Amino acid sequence: GLCGLCPVLTPAGGAWLAGWVIRWRLDAAHADAAAAPPLRTVDLGGTTRLSQALLRAAYAGWVDAAWQNLLAALSYNHAGAIHQHARRILQHGATSGCAMLAGFLHSI
């Protein structure tokens, strides 16, 4: 239901879900977590093609350099680097970075 939440290029609902998926993949990599439903069972038809691609990339574990740097900083618990890389993610799009970080942080 979050996909296509607002009529922009990458709706905030899809970006939020992408951030949530990044966190789910991180948690699943460190524990024997219950598997999420395969992405093919999720209806992505209500959102833009760019948002669909963002969700598929997150589900596959593909993230850009800003996310890679943030995840590395989190693994070392380096507060200064975490803050720096989170600020870079916040600069993604008009709201995409903020929505992705919100989705990522939701499950903490």
Side-chain angles (χ1 to χ4, degrees), residues 2 6 14-16 23 27 34 38 46 50 59 64 72 79 83 86 89 100:
L2 286 175
C6 58
W16 188 94
R23 179 59 190 221
D27 290 345
L50 183 57
Y59 196 84
D64 68 3
H83 189 258
I89 290 170
M100 284 182 77

Side-chain angles (χ1 to χ4, degrees), residues 9-101:
L9 194 55
T10 53
W16 188 94
L17 285 172
W20 182 89
V21 168
I22 291 169
R23 179 59 190 221
W24 169 79
R25 287 190 55 82
L26 184 64
D27 290 345
H30 294 290
D32 190 19
L39 191 59
R40 66 182 176 276
T41 67
V42 177
D43 179 17
L44 297 178
T47 193
T48 66
R49 291 177 76 188
L50 183 57
S51 185
Q52 290 174 13
L54 179 66
L55 284 163
R56 286 189 178 103
Y59 196 84
W62 301 335
V63 294
D64 68 3
W67 274 99
Q68 290 176 19
N69 291 334
L70 176 63
L71 296 174
L74 287 168
S75 72
Y76 293 111
N77 198 23
H78 188 277
I82 292 168
H83 189 258
Q84 173 187 359
H85 298 302
R87 279 196 322 258
R88 287 194 180 133
I89 290 170
L90 288 173
Q91 295 172 355
H92 290 177
T95 60
S96 295
C98 182
M100 284 182 77
L101 274 176

